[in-house]
Amino acid sequence: MANRTTPPTVQRRILARELRHLRERKSLTGDDIKDLLGWSPSKVSRIENARISVSQKDIEQLLDVYDATDSQRERLLALAGKTQTPQSWRAYPAPTQEYLSFLDVERVADSIRQWEVGVVPASFRQRRTPGI
């Protein structure tokens, strides 16, 4: 576990959570951001749900609106730079974003647990009736 880097998808989720926290702290809505930056509320939602990558310019605009401190700004801009899919993955034929997300989350998981119910119906076992 030591010295593992956090994958881009997980970092995108961390960034999204931080941006949502800053917006909520300022008591702003998606419509407020629309009025201030000219973005659609759905863009803000996609950013805050880590559905899309965010450009450095967009992050800077959001941080200005949210009145982020210098340390928050520095940390979040550095984090935004790490949210892109690594070049090594781009060599393969277009994996879906969902698949890349699954691989990233699986890579940092400490454990994976799965539980299933297995029922064997009584008709599965054929009963032999004596004398037949």
Side-chain angles (χ1 to χ4, degrees), residues 6 12 14-15 17 21 24 29 38 41 46 54 56 64 67 80 85 87 91 93 95 105 107-108 114 116 118 122 129:
T6 307
R12 187 178 303 131
I14 293 168
L15 177 64
R17 184 189 66 219
H21 174 74
E24 290 173 345
T29 65
R46 288 190 311 265
V54 189
Q56 291 285 110
D64 288 341
D67 295 327
T85 302
Q87 290 287 4
V105 171
R107 191 171 105 200
V108 296
Q114 183 174 342
E116 293 182 31
T129 307

Side-chain angles (χ1 to χ4, degrees), residues 27-132:
S27 300
L28 296 171
T29 65
D31 287 329
D32 295 330
I33 302 301
K34 178 186 103 175
D35 295 339
L36 293 168
L37 298 177
W39 297 358
S40 68
S42 65
K43 178 177 179 176
V44 176
S45 175
R46 288 190 311 265
I47 290 170
E48 291 181 355
N49 288 305
R51 301 260 184 240
I52 60 172
S53 294
V54 189
S55 70
Q56 291 285 110
K57 180 183 173 190
D58 287 350
I59 297 269
E60 289 171 359
Q61 289 177 328
L62 286 171
L63 294 175
D64 288 341
V65 168
Y66 299 158
D67 295 327
T69 64
D70 289 340
S71 63
Q72 288 172 327
R73 178 178 292 277
E74 184 178 319
R75 183 173 53 80
L76 293 177
L77 287 171
L79 185 59
K82 298 175 185 177
T83 62
Q84 302 301 316
T85 302
Q87 290 287 4
S88 61
W89 279 106
R90 294 185 182 145
Y92 294 95
T96 64
Q97 186 59 43
E98 290 81 14
Y99 183 67
L100 290 175
S101 295
F102 169 76
L103 291 177
D104 285 345
V105 171
E106 184 182 62
R107 191 171 105 200
V108 296
D110 291 332
S111 64
I112 297 175
R113 296 179 186 173
Q114 183 174 342
W115 184 82
E116 293 182 31
V117 175
V119 177
V120 179
S123 63
F124 183 79
R125 258 184 324 169
Q126 294 185 1
R127 297 181 184 180
R128 264 185 126 171
T129 307
I132 297 181

